[in-house]
Amino acid sequence: MRYHHLRFDIWLCLLFSLFVSIFPANLAEGILSKKYQDYVKEHTVEKGEIGGMAEDDLFRAKTIEDLETHDTFTVVSPGIEYRNRGAGYFGSQYLYALTLPSGERVAAAINLENVQIEGEYYTGEATLPVGQIVWEDLTSNENFIRQITHSEPLSRTDFYIDMMGNGGKVSLDDYTGPISLVIRALTIILFFPLFHAIGAKLGIFPPFFASKKKQPSEWK
């Protein structure tokens, strides 16, 4: 087995570049942290709205017929059963296979932040957020259907329940992390050759590409 070791000058330039990348990344994180407050406001769903916490007087749907005959509703699910029956992305929506009290199974986008659990987390009753029907042909995405029906088929595939609304906000780390990583990477890509070029010019580092000296002509 061969082991390849980077030259010392490469390690040193990478280390310097990594150190420099801390400053623009921290600056970006500071700016994004302020924007995150606006993002949170935009993605916080009020009680009673689609994706918001269900109030006590909201209709508790038990069957597909209940879903179809009510504009808005909620569903009471045992524990976190709704998260263990298959799921997948349908477009931009992450849909869970939700089992209704009747035993029928439908796809649902659920704002997990606004699920209300009474009793034990795994065995108590979970009152899901306010929902409404969205008519879509779920079979148009074969990969999604294969994922969400890996344990049992859906009872209906011509709609899903929207219990997300404008919710579904990500954490601060997830919000700032990707951009911070991109800035770090770009900074390293920019400063690594710059540091090495400066070191080579000062004679501290060997050049990446050694110039070939022109051989003297035999005719001279």
Side-chain angles (χ1 to χ4, degrees), residues 21 45 53 62 64 68 83 144 159 184:
S21 73
V45 185
M53 288 187 180
K62 296 181 179 179
I64 288 178
E68 293 179 309
R83 298 179 65 176
F144 162 73
F159 71 83
R184 280 179 178 269

Side-chain angles (χ1 to χ4, degrees), residues 1 8-9 14 30 52 55 73 96-97 135 142 149 157 162 168 173 183 187-188 190 192 213 217:
M1 183 181 292
F8 173 75
D9 55 312
L14 282 174
E55 297 183 296
F73 47 78
Y96 295 93
W135 298 99
E142 294 182 4
T149 61
T157 57
D162 179 14
D173 288 341
I183 291 175
T187 304
I188 291 171
L190 176 64
F192 171 76
K213 292 184 177 180
S217 173

